[in-house]
């Protein structure tokens, strides 16, 4: 436990914590990494590390330490006071001292602020226009009150007070947690990213595949006859694939730029969110493909390394999963995502949304005590009960292994990933021994609770939970009852 005693070199109202609590004299726990935000300067992540040490030699103790943007103190007391001095050039001088005067041990740390993310004014203007047109957020979310605009604004001020565009950042994250994520995915994974760009950030599209995927959606209210679903693609309801293709041709450029702007703002927001501690969340899981009509044959195209990205334009972006996992997604390969990836820390939840693939991301064993690239976005979600972590577009992973698990009579491909950062020491993580065998056993013990509720229902078939805009195995169970 620790609290801020003083911050020198700034105005008091220029500092805030992402937890929304007062900066000074507030004891903060050790289960999260706390992000101090200083206007005009940057971020300071303060993270408690509990390491096992021998003090005295004959006794093993859990030794509390504090990490400040990757620089770690020596032993500190169970409660610590932190004094921060802001120097020029983003440098910081930090003193950590115990609350108890009986313990004279102090730590003196030098570190630097993490920089604020870049935000483009043209992206803000476009998102504002999409909000005005009611394209975002997703309209009339089924079985959900969602968040009001005032609630989203308040969360923006809490997490992104360093910019006048805090509302647009918060809205971009919130909208991702709705069915709008489908638009953000399609317009990224169907780009030929190895072909000359049309303009900065925009690559030619496999247009027929995008239109086909919009048309093939057919679960719940998420179908081309639904006004709100088609509104999210800047279109009107359609009764046949030709109508979807015609409309897509007309809105393609606007939709493409809309997606680019929102993905860039989402990425900025993701970098600005507080980090997740690795010692409390060692594994993150994602059930794929959670847009069911993509099928496993479009998993491989989600990466910049996919050879199909070279085109030619018009070549259908589709690849058998076996070809991907024996090629650019094979063990020891590095893959880089085109799109946002959502994960949870609950394996059972990820399994409920799997459509043939389970991603298991393991915390990297290196100096940083936090997941450098994963942001915990649940507070900004349309459903506060949906635990969600996200990796932004452009995140790189080492593929550690590809395995097959047998679940309820079907095979699930389990892909073990290790996130990479710019830290050269991360390369050593490729050799580590993990607990993947334990994960695989848990996968095979998956108990389809919600699916059983669907099958055992008497009378009209109903979804036993909110679908959060994503296909889940309940819809498969519903089909089996028809």
């Amino acid at each position: 436990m620790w609290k801020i005693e003083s911050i020198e070199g700034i105005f008091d109202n220029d500092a805030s914590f992402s937890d929304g609590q007062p900066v000074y004299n507030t004891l903060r726990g050790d289960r999260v990494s706390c992000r101090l935000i200083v206007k005009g300067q940057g971020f300071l992540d303060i993270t408690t590390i509990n390491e096992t040490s021998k003090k005295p030699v004959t006794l093993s103790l859990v030794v509390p330490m504090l990490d400040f943007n990757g620089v770690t103190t020596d032993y500190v007391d169970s409660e610590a006071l932190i004094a921060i001095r802001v120097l020029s050039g983003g440098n910081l001088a930090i003193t950590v001292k115990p609350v108890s005067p009986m313990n004279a041990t102090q730590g003196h740390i030098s570190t630097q602020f993490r920089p604020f993310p870049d935000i483009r004014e043209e992206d803000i203007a476009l998102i504002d226009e999409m909000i005005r047109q009611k394209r975002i957020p997703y309209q009339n979310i089924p079985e959900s009150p969602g968040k009001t605009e005032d609630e989203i604004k308040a969360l923006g001020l809490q997490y992104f007070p360093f910019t006048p565009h805090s509302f647009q950042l918060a809205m971009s994250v919130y909208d991702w947690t709705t069915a709008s994520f489908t638009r953000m995915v399609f317009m990224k994974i169907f780009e030929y990213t190895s072909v000359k760009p049309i303009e900065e950030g925009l690559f030619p599209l496999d247009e027929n595949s995008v239109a086909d995927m919009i048309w093939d959606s057919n679960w719940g209210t998420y179908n081309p006859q639904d006004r709100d679903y088609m509104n999210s693609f800047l279109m009107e309801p359609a009764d046949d694939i030709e109508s979807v293709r015609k409309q897509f041709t007309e809105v393609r450029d606007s939709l493409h730029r809309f997606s680019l702007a929102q993905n860039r703002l989402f990425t900025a927001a993701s970098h600005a969110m507080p980090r997740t501690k690795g010692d409390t969340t060692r594994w993150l899981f994602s059930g794929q493909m959670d847009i069911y009509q993509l099928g496993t044959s479009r998993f491989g195209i989600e990466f910049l390394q996919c050879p199909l990205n070279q085109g030619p334009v018009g070549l259908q972006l589709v690849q058998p999963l076996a070809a991907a996992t024996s090629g650019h997604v094979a063990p020891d390969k590095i893959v880089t995502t085109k799109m946002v990836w959502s994960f949870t820390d609950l394996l059972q939840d990820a399994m409920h949304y799997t459509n043939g693939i389970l991603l298991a991301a393991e915390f990297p064993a290196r100096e940083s005590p936090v997941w450098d690239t994963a942001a915990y976005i649940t507070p900004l979600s349309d459903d506060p009960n949906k635990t969600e972590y996200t990796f932004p577009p452009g995140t790189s992973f080492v593929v550690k292994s590809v395995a097959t698990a047998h679940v309820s009579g079907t095979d699930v491909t389990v892909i073990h990933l290790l996130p990479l950062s710019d830290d050269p020491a991360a390369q050593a993580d490729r050799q580590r021994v993990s607990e993947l065998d334990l994960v695989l056993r848990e996968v095979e013990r998956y108990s389809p609770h919600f699916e059983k509720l669907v099958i055992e229902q008497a009378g009209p078939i109903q979804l036993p939970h909110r679908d959060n805009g994503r296909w889940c195995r309940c819809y498969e169970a519903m089909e089996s009852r028809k």
Side-chain angles (χ1 to χ4, degrees), residues 373-424:
T373 49
Y376 176 64
I377 67 167
T378 296
L380 287 165
S381 174
D382 78 302
D383 181 1
N385 297 315
K386 179 176 62 178
T387 303
E388 186 168 359
Y389 302 79
T390 53
F391 292 91
T395 303
S396 292
F397 299 83
V398 173
V399 180
K400 295 290 291 178
S401 66
V402 179
T404 300
H406 306 288
V407 183
S408 302
T410 62
D411 289 344
V412 174
T413 299
V414 181
I415 301 176
H416 178 198
L417 301 165
L418 200 67
L420 289 184
S421 70
D422 294 332
D423 181 3

Side-chain angles (χ1 to χ4, degrees), residues 2 15-20 28 32-38 42-47 69 114-117 158-160 162 268-275 370-372 375:
W2 53 270
S16 64
F17 270 102
S18 57
D19 61 10
R28 289 177 162 87
V32 295
S33 178
C34 296
R35 172 156 281 190
L36 178 67
I37 306 161
V38 179
F43 304 120
L44 175 63
D45 293 329
I46 306 176
T47 311
N69 283 356
R114 298 190 192 279
F116 294 136
Q158 176 181 329
Y159 286 100
F160 317 117
F162 57 89
S270 180
H271 288 316
M273 295 289 286
R275 304 295 89 184
V370 298
W371 290 79
D372 290 331

Side-chain angles (χ1 to χ4, degrees), residues 83-286:
I84 300 172
R85 195 151 48 94
V86 178
L87 308 174
S88 62
N91 295 306
L92 295 164
I94 300 172
T95 300
V96 181
K97 52 188 177 181
V99 172
S100 171
M102 299 299 293
N103 188 343
T105 302
Q106 293 190 4
H108 299 280
I109 299 295
S110 295
T111 189
Q112 290 185 316
F113 281 112
R114 298 190 192 279
F116 294 136
D118 292 330
I119 299 170
R120 303 189 182 205
E121 293 294 333
E122 63 267 28
D123 292 344
I124 297 298
L126 184 50
I127 292 303
D128 282 342
E129 177 59 21
M130 293 296 102
I131 293 172
R132 188 190 69 78
Q133 293 183 18
K134 298 189 181 300
R135 306 296 186 175
I136 59 171
Y138 194 93
Q139 300 293 295
N140 303 312
I141 302 171
E143 300 178 8
S144 170
K147 283 184 168 62
T148 66
E149 191 169 291
D150 285 343
E151 289 174 321
I152 296 170
K153 284 180 178 178
L155 286 166
L157 290 172
Q158 176 181 329
Y159 286 100
F160 317 117
F162 57 89
T163 171
H165 307 308
S166 60
F167 170 62
Q168 291 87 349
L169 291 181
M171 179 63 81
S172 292
V173 177
Y174 171 77
D175 196 44
W176 163 263
T177 68
T178 73
S180 290
F181 88 100
T182 307
R183 174 187 65 244
M184 294 173 67
V185 169
F186 288 166
M187 301 302 288
K188 294 298 289 184
I189 68 172
F190 287 112
E191 285 187 315
Y192 302 95
T193 50
S194 296
V195 172
K196 182 180 178 181
I198 302 165
E199 57 186 72
E200 184 189 2
L202 290 177
F203 295 87
L205 288 165
D206 176 2
E207 298 180 23
N208 285 335
S209 287
V210 176
D212 288 347
M213 293 300 98
I214 294 172
W215 170 252
D216 287 343
S217 183
N218 188 25
W219 54 277
T221 61
Y222 307 105
N223 62 76
Q225 287 77 51
D226 183 79
R227 183 165 298 279
D228 296 315
Y229 174 74
M230 294 300 282
N231 179 70
S232 71
F233 292 101
L234 311 186
M235 299 183 197
E236 297 293 329
D239 291 323
D240 55 61
I241 182 62
E242 292 308 319
S243 175
V244 174
R245 287 175 177 163
K246 181 176 183 296
Q247 288 191 73
F248 181 72
T249 300
E250 293 168 351
V251 304
R252 178 197 59 207
D253 293 346
S254 297
L255 189 62
H256 207 175
R257 291 188 177 90
F258 175 20
S259 168
L260 176 63
Q262 189 170 10
N263 273 287
R264 282 198 298 225
L265 290 180
F266 181 97
T267 299
S270 180
H271 288 316
M273 295 289 286
R275 304 295 89 184
T276 299
K277 286 184 61 177
D279 60 2
T280 57
T281 308
R282 290 203 58 241
W283 288 89
L284 293 173
F285 306 99
S286 181

